[in-house]
């Protein structure tokens, strides 16, 4: 049965520019189905004919392409399964993709993927790294870079060290600032970078290392402990703005020390292990001479999520308090509360104009919201360091 | 449900055979495809399926009433009712908070308090697209251009999952006639379908995502921290990113529809090879351009006004509405206004010169292409920037930081931009030849080629799935 003709598309201008899309129009010449074979018909190079196939053929090609594609991509699919949230879906996915990766490897079908990865410098994309290397708790200046000290013992309250001397920075000797964290840190991070740009005594180094769907509970998805260790060594920042926890509100962690279990989310074992990770990161940065500004989690449009974020905030705030003078916690919960104390997407700015400060997803920040956080971060840096005395000296 | 995900692949592997198996029985097929499309939509948020179903019923009832009513005044009243309903829903979900904040800010300037409060409304994905399709259905019925069909066919037309969330904006006369009779299962243009799906995935997952994460997001977030060269390249990169993102999506949508036996209209035609702004709008988001032309520009009077100024006004108004359609922010309005002013200016220039507007020599064509491309890039700054401050910072930064270090301008970024723009000048015979050769391969070879394309896209793309830019519209 002949298909009813489509009405013509609006006229397009004549042009000598031949295009990819243009050749893909429905009215392009097509050959009859394979049964009415014209296999060796004379195809002029400028008007090659393409063969139409049956719907069954389309289905077979789709199934085969996906099957071969799954084998070719088995290492990546296995990693994706590993990265899933804990639950039956992850168990099923791992049960399926583990053997699949083995078969792919045995048949050498993972070689093309590895070859392309090597070619573009991403050979470690499929590796699953869960090792957490942190300085020993309470000894922020004793641990050596690269030391691995996963421990099951509860973190001891570190001996309160003497707060560091308020170091002065100037346009000649700038405070090196780095920002890292999950997706919630991206918008505030860039706001901090913008704000830093207006201060002659601060220099942003390394931009904003914000990574979506990552956190401190799942080093298999992205190993922040390794990343921060490496980047701090490379960039030598004197101030590091961190923001984590948006994806950590679950009763599941990888990279646990041998024999440790964390129990339910928010329970004492969970808090202890999370505190070990948060505190360990702070110590790692302190050890290299950096001050930590930890951006807390805001309330969201979901009360349940907000209460889970409260747990994470409590841990981070406590760890920052334990390192007074070396770390500080920026409370975004109250900063973004409405008049009634609840969630709001809009807040008035300094001039009373209503601004959208939270993104439509009810979790992330808009640019204006990022600017509000950046102002608090700069205040914290000004408390920790002397960023203004150079002005007096230069005007004297 | 996003196209480049395993979830969609599994969904489609179920829908494809069942669609063809039920095709000989049109009622069953339509019932099946409505259920499949609603499942596709509900995957994102099931509550908005009710909104889609309500939109379907509202427009079907009123379109049929309009068609059957003879009295012009009653027909006009029914049309007004239909349009008001559609625009009220769209306005509530998409523009309510924008209206409240804009009014509140305006009122506060004169010391007044607005009684309305912002509601933080969640925008249903695809609402702008299916509302426009519904409007074209009732307006075509009012004009007598298209007789309303059955509720069942209209429901398929509005909810058909390949176009549901980000177009193309298909007209009733393009899709509904295809629903009248079963598609021919022996004549499926598979090579074109697979070509569009594979290139669409590559454009979206590799080109668009790479440029976004490598330079665009970082520079637009903090222009003051970047050199002029980085800002300039970020603007070019955004032009390629938005093209690759949106045209990639519609390529996949058209390819999926083809595998199900349906033809969708073309949505992009090498827009960065345009030689005028008018030409650009014939090539960029073509289904939206002609929708605006037929349902906004022409009803406003088009170019039939007694004075040329009326034509310019109509162009400007149409593009302002087009800008606002893209997003509830004044930056989008300015973006639309820039294009409207450019279209009007181009028309005025052509009339003043009293000769054909189209460039005739290779040199003038290339000169026009370069000028048009740079104007379009300039306007994209307002489209992408979060605020006017950010846009002006970008524009200012283009002139104040030359000679500074530009670490974000890498070989990979330049290559991706070159591929994105260069692909628009690819001779037509090359993809045609690729499709023809592919169509003659045996089944296993076709599957292997596609599997390798999937592998390359997976390896070269970033981890995770970035949302499509046009989903927010």
């Amino acid at each position: 049965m002949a298909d009813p003709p489509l009405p013509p598309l609006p006229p397009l201008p004549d042009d000598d520019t031949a295009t990819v899309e243009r050749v893909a129009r429905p009215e392009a010449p097509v050959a009859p189905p394979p049964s009415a074979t014209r296999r060796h018909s004379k195809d002029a190079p400028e008007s090659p004919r393409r063969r139409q196939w049956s719907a069954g053929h389309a289905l077979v090609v789709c199934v085969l392409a996906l099957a071969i594609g799954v084998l070719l991509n088995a290492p990546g699919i296995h990693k994706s399964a590993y990265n899933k949230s804990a639950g039956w879906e992850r168990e099923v996915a791992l049960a399926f993709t583990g053997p699949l990766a083995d078969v792919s490897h045995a048949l050498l079908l993972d070689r093309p993927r590895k070859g392309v990865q090597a070619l573009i410098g991403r050979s470690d994309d499929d590796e699953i790294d869960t090792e957490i290397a942190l300085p020993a708790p309470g000894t922020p200046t004793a641990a050596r870079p690269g030391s691995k000290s996963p421990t099951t013992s509860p973190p001891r309250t570190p001996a309160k060290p003497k707060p560091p001397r308020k170091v002065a920075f100037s346009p000649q000797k700038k405070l090196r600032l780095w920002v890292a964290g999950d997706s919630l840190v991206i918008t505030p991070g860039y706001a901090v970078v913008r704000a830093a740009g207006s201060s002659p005594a601060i220099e942003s180094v390394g931009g904003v290392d914000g990574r979506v769907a990552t956190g401190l509970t799942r080093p298999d998805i992205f190993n922040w402990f390794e990343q921060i260790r490496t980047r701090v060594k490379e960039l030598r920042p004197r101030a590091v703005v961190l923001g984590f926890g948006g994806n950590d509100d679950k009763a599941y962690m990888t990279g646990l020390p041998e024999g440790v279990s964390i129990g339910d989310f928010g329970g004492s074992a969970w808090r202890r292990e999370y505190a070990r990770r948060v505190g360990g990161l702070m110590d790692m940065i302190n050890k290299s001479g950096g001050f930590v500004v930890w951006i807390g989690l805001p309330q969201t449009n979901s009360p349940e999520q907000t209460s889970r974020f409260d747990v994470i905030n409590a841990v981070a705030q406590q760890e920052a308090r334990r390192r007074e003078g070396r770390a500080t916690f920026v409370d975004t919960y109250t900063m973004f509360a409405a008049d009634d104390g609840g969630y709001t997407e809009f807040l008035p700015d300094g001039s009373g104009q209503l601004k959208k400060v939270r993104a439509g997803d009810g979790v992330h920040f808009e640019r204006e919201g990022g600017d509000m956080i950046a102002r608090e971060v700069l205040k914290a840096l000004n408390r920790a360091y002397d960023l203004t005395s150079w002005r007096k000296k230069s005007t004297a | 449900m996003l196209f480049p995900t395993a979830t969609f692949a599994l969904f489609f592997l179920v829908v494809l055979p069942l669609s063809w198996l039920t095709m000989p029985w049109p009622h069953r097929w339509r019932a099946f495809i409505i259920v499949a499309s609603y499942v596709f939509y509900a995957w994102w948020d099931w509550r908005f399926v009710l909104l889609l179903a309500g939109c379907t019923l509202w427009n079907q009832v009123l379109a049929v009433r309009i068609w059957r009513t003879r009295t012009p005044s009653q027909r006009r009243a029914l049309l007004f009712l239909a349009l008001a309903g559609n625009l009220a829903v769209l306005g509530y979900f998409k523009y309510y908070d924008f209206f409240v904040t804009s009014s509140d800010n305006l009122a506060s300037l004169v010391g007044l308090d607005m009684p309305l409060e912002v509601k933080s409304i969640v925008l249903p994905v695809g609402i702008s697209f299916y509302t426009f399709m519904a409007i074209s259905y009732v307006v075509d019925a009012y004009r007598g251009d298209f007789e309303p069909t059955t509720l069942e066919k209209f429901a398929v037309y509005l909810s058909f999952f390949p176009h549901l969330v980000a177009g193309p904006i298909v007209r009733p006369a393009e899709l509904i006639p295809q629903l009248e009779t079963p598609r021919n299962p022996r004549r499926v243009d598979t090579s074109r379908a697979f070509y569009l799906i594979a290139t669409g995935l590559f454009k979206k997952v590799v080109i668009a995502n790479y440029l976004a994460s490598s330079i665009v997001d970082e520079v637009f977030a903090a222009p003051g921290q970047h050199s002029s060269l980085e800002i300039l390249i970020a603007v070019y990169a955004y032009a390629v990113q938005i093209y690759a993102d949106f045209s990639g999506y519609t390529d996949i949508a058209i390819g999926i529809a083809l595998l199900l036996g349906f033809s969708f209209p073309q949505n992009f035609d090498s827009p960065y090879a345009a030689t005028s702004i008018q030409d650009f709008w014939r090539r960029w988001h073509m289904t939206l351009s002609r929708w605006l032309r037929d349902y906004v520009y022409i009803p406003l009077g088009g170019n039939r006004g007694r004075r040329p100024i009326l034509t310019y006004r109509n162009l400007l108004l149409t593009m302002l509405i087009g800008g606002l359609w893209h997003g509830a922010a004044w930056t989008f309005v300015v973006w639309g206004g820039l294009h409207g002013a450019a279209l009007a200016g181009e028309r005025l220039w052509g009339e003043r010169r009293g000769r054909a507007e189209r460039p005739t020599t290779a040199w003038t064509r290339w000169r026009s292409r370069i000028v048009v491309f740079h104007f379009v890039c300039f306007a994209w700054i307002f489209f992408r920037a979060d605020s006017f401050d950010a846009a002006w910072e970008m524009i200012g930064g283009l002139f104040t930081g030359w000679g500074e270090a530009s670490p974000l301008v890498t070989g990979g970024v330049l290559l991706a931009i070159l591929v994105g723009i260069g692909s628009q000048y690819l001779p037509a015979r090359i993809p045609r030849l690729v499709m023809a050769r592919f169509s003659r391969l045996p089944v296993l070879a076709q599957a292997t080629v596609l599997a390798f394309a999937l592998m390359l896209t997976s390896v070269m793309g970033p981890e995770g799935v970035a949302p499509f830019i046009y989903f927010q519209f």
Side-chain angles (χ1 to χ4, degrees):
Chain A
M1 192 179 293
D3 297 339
L6 282 177
L9 293 171
L12 293 168
D14 294 326
D15 196 301
D16 62 348
T17 310
T19 66
V20 179
E21 288 102 340
R22 193 171 295 163
V23 296
R25 286 185 200 158
E27 61 267 28
V30 286
S35 52
T37 182
R38 278 176 38 177
R39 196 181 186 89
H40 301 294
S41 63
K42 201 166 113 183
D43 282 343
E46 60 276 13
S47 58
R49 286 161 181 263
R50 58 179 185 271
R51 181 181 295 165
Q52 292 202 335
W53 294 82
S54 68
H57 167 92
L59 181 64
V60 170
V61 172
C62 282
V63 171
L64 278 174
L66 283 174
I68 300 168
V70 161
L71 282 169
L72 290 172
N73 288 303
I77 293 171
H78 182 55
K79 188 183 177 187
S80 299
Y82 198 92
N83 288 349
K84 276 180 169 297
S85 302
W88 68 268
E89 286 181 3
R90 182 171 185 269
E91 299 306 316
V92 170
L94 283 175
F96 174 71
T97 57
L100 191 77
D102 293 340
V103 171
S104 170
H105 185 67
L107 297 174
L108 306 181
L109 287 173
D110 57 353
R111 294 289 173 89
R113 181 178 169 94
K114 290 185 190 304
V116 178
Q117 283 175 332
L119 205 65
I120 60 174
R122 287 169 55 175
S123 295
D124 56 356
D125 271 10
D126 294 338
E127 282 176 19
I128 299 170
D129 174 16
T130 59
E131 194 172 278
I132 298 176
L134 293 172
T139 54
T141 54
R144 286 173 304 178
S147 65
K148 295 173 186 177
S149 56
T151 174
T152 57
S153 60
R156 286 169 288 155
T157 307
K160 204 169 180 177
K162 199 169 64 177
R165 189 163 50 91
K166 208 167 176 183
V167 183
F169 291 93
S170 67
Q172 288 74 42
K173 181 195 166 196
K174 294 186 179 187
L175 170 68
R176 293 167 68 79
L177 173 84
W178 182 53
V179 185
D182 60 22
S183 61
L184 271 164
V185 93
I186 295 175
T187 304
Y190 282 118
V192 169
V193 169
R194 283 195 300 276
S198 62
S199 168
I202 306 178
E203 177 186 18
S204 163
V205 291
V208 176
D209 194 352
R211 292 171 192 261
V212 178
T214 62
L216 303 184
T217 54
R218 299 292 304 271
D220 50 318
I221 293 176
F222 186 77
N223 195 331
W224 273 110
F225 306 95
E226 187 55 40
Q227 174 75 356
I228 289 176
R229 173 188 305 285
T230 310
R231 293 299 278 163
V232 163
K233 206 172 171 183
E234 286 168 6
L235 300 170
R236 294 271 163 216
R238 294 300 303 272
V240 179
V241 179
L242 295 179
F244 288 106
N247 305 298
D248 291 341
D249 56 338
K250 294 164 189 79
Y252 184 74
M253 291 191 201
T254 55
L256 290 169
E258 198 69 34
V260 169
S261 65
I262 51 154
D264 292 338
F265 170 77
S268 59
W270 191 97
R271 286 172 187 252
R272 198 159 48 239
E273 175 59 19
Y274 199 70
R276 183 177 80 86
R277 297 180 184 208
V278 171
L281 276 188
M282 290 177 174
D283 290 343
M284 190 192 290
I285 292 162
N286 290 161
K287 192 164 69 67
S288 67
F291 178 78
V292 177
V293 182
W294 192 282
I295 299 177
L297 296 169
Q299 54 179 318
T300 74
N301 63 357
S302 154
E304 295 80 27
Q305 189 180 34
T306 301
S307 63
R308 293 196 301 273
F309 281 8
D310 287 345
V311 172
I312 293 170
N313 277 340
V315 173
Q317 195 163 12
Q318 188 181 23
E319 290 305 306
R321 208 175 283 143
R322 280 179 174 166
R323 291 159 182 80
E324 199 182 337
R326 290 178 287 128
T328 191
F329 179 85
V330 173
D331 174 18
T332 60
Y333 187 100
T334 44
M335 198 189 298
F336 288 93
D339 289 342
D340 61 1
Y343 174 82
T344 180
E345 232 174 72
F346 296 84
L347 283 173
D349 66 4
S351 61
Q353 298 259 305
L354 262 190
K355 298 287 181 189
K356 194 169 192 283
V357 293
R358 302 296 296 277
D361 62 8
V363 180
H364 293 85
F365 300 104
E366 288 288 350
R367 187 183 174 99
E368 300 283 347
D371 288 339
M372 287 167 64
I373 296 173
R375 282 192 284 275
E376 291 305 311
V377 169
L378 281 210
K379 279 183 200 167
L381 291 178
N382 271 295
R383 283 194 297 271
Y385 293 113
D386 173 7
L387 299 171
T388 53
S389 64
W390 63 271
R391 291 183 193 274
K392 293 172 200 157
K393 287 174 193 162
S394 62
T395 52
Chain B
M1 207 182 289
L2 293 168
F3 284 160
T5 57
T7 312
F8 179 77
L10 292 175
F11 168 83
F12 192 61
L13 280 185
V14 174
V15 169
L16 180 63
L18 289 180
S19 172
W20 282 109
L21 286 173
T22 52
M23 189 71 83
W25 300 276
H27 285 295
R28 283 187 207 169
W29 179 82
R30 286 177 209 131
F32 166 72
I33 216 71
I34 290 169
V35 171
S37 298
Y38 278 35
V39 167
F40 175 86
Y41 197 56
W43 212 266
W44 173 70
D45 190 332
W46 66 269
R47 293 169 301 171
F48 292 123
V49 167
L50 300 176
L51 185 70
L52 178 61
C55 178
T56 308
L57 280 174
W58 173 260
N59 286 286
Q60 175 66 10
V61 168
L62 285 167
V64 171
R65 288 291 301 275
I66 288 169
W67 183 262
R68 288 181 184 161
T69 303
R70 298 275 171 226
T71 320
S73 60
Q74 281 184 2
R75 285 166 57 81
R76 268 198 302 276
L78 287 167
L79 175 69
F80 177 80
L81 191 63
L83 293 179
N86 283 310
L87 294 177
V89 172
L90 184 63
Y92 176 75
F93 281 103
K94 191 163 177 173
Y95 301 107
Y96 177 84
D97 284 344
F98 172 65
F99 170 75
V100 171
T101 50
S102 298
S103 315
D104 189 79
N105 292 339
L106 196 65
S108 72
L109 289 177
V110 290
L112 294 173
D113 266 343
M114 284 291 290
L116 295 170
E117 286 192 356
V118 289
K119 288 182 183 289
S120 306
I121 299 162
V122 178
L123 181 68
V125 69
I127 188 171
S128 307
F129 290 92
Y130 65 71
T131 301
F132 271 26
M133 285 178 60
I135 288 175
S136 63
Y137 183 69
V138 288
V139 172
D140 285 3
Y142 174 78
R143 289 172 175 168
D145 292 343
F146 191 83
E147 183 179 355
T149 184
T150 61
L151 175 63
E152 192 185 55
K153 287 181 203 160
F154 178 59
V156 175
Y157 161 75
L158 208 59
S159 68
F160 194 31
F161 71 88
H163 70 60
L164 180 56
V165 293
I169 300 170
V170 188
R171 302 280 273 274
E174 287 166 343
L175 184 55
I176 292 174
Q178 297 185 66
L179 306 175
E180 304 284 351
T181 53
R183 308 281 83 202
N184 185 350
R186 291 191 180 82
R187 290 178 61 83
V188 181
D189 197 353
T190 55
S191 57
R192 179 170 169 255
F194 289 134
Y195 176 84
L196 288 171
I197 293 170
T199 52
L201 276 175
F202 188 83
K203 280 199 269 189
K204 163 62 189 164
V205 178
V206 180
I207 303 276
N209 290 356
Y210 174 73
L211 287 173
S213 57
S214 299
I215 188 165
V216 174
D217 291 348
E218 196 165 337
V219 172
F220 272 88
Q225 300 302 304
H226 297 283
S227 70
S228 294
L229 181 65
E230 281 176 327
I231 292 174
L232 181 69
I233 297 299
V235 174
Y236 290 153
Y238 182 66
V240 173
Q241 183 205 338
I242 192 168
Y243 165 75
D245 190 287
F246 190 27
S247 75
Y249 179 88
T250 46
D251 282 354
I252 300 169
I254 293 168
I256 284 166
L258 267 178
L259 288 179
L260 294 166
F262 294 89
S263 296
F264 281 175
Q266 187 183 0
N267 214 19
F268 288 87
D269 183 24
S270 301
Y272 297 141
T275 53
S276 65
I277 301 300
Q278 188 187 27
D279 189 17
F280 174 79
W281 281 102
R282 286 176 180 148
R283 294 160 173 264
W284 178 271
H285 202 173
M286 294 153 69
T287 55
L288 174 68
S289 313
R290 62 186 190 157
W291 193 97
L292 290 171
R293 181 195 64 196
D294 294 348
Y295 300 103
V296 180
Y297 178 65
I298 291 174
L300 280 171
N303 58 3
R304 289 163 300 164
R306 281 165 296 164
R307 288 173 296 157
I309 189 90
L310 295 176
T311 304
Y312 309 146
R313 180 204 63 182
N314 296 339
L315 282 169
L316 193 62
L317 279 175
T318 304
M319 294 312 293
L320 285 172
I321 291 168
L324 198 57
W325 178 86
H326 281 86
W330 289 108
T331 45
F332 289 110
V333 178
V334 166
W335 171 77
L338 282 170
H339 275 277
L343 283 168
E346 211 171 65
R347 196 173 181 89
L348 176 67
W349 175 257
E351 283 164 2
R352 287 273 166 88
R353 286 169 66 114
R355 62 180 178 83
E357 295 162 47
R358 290 177 53 72
T360 49
T361 66
W363 156 243
T364 51
R365 266 199 301 276
W366 276 104
R367 189 186 58 194
S368 302
R369 279 177 186 141
I370 291 167
V371 170
V372 169
F373 175 69
H374 282 85
F375 171 79
V376 170
C377 285
F378 174 75
W380 283 138
I381 294 175
F382 290 90
F383 191 94
R384 172 62 177 78
D386 299 328
S387 63
F388 286 118
D389 287 347
W392 291 122
E393 206 179 337
M394 283 288 291
I395 294 164
L398 280 169
F399 304 100
T400 52
W402 287 100
E404 293 175 12
S406 305
L408 296 183
V409 182
T410 61
V413 165
L414 294 175
L415 181 67
I417 293 172
L418 201 67
V419 168
I421 296 175
S423 68
Q424 316 212 1
Y425 293 89
L426 199 66
R429 66 178 182 280
I430 293 177
R432 194 177 290 158
L433 199 67
V434 169
M435 282 189 274
R437 290 269 164 84
F438 179 87
S439 74
R440 285 161 200 287
L441 292 174
V443 172
L444 189 62
Q446 286 191 1
T448 307
V449 169
L450 290 174
F452 268 88
L454 269 180
M455 187 269 288
L456 278 178
T457 305
S458 161
V459 173
M460 295 170 79
E463 283 189 48
V465 183
F468 289 91
I469 294 175
Y470 263 67
F471 272 29
Q472 64 191 293
F473 306 142

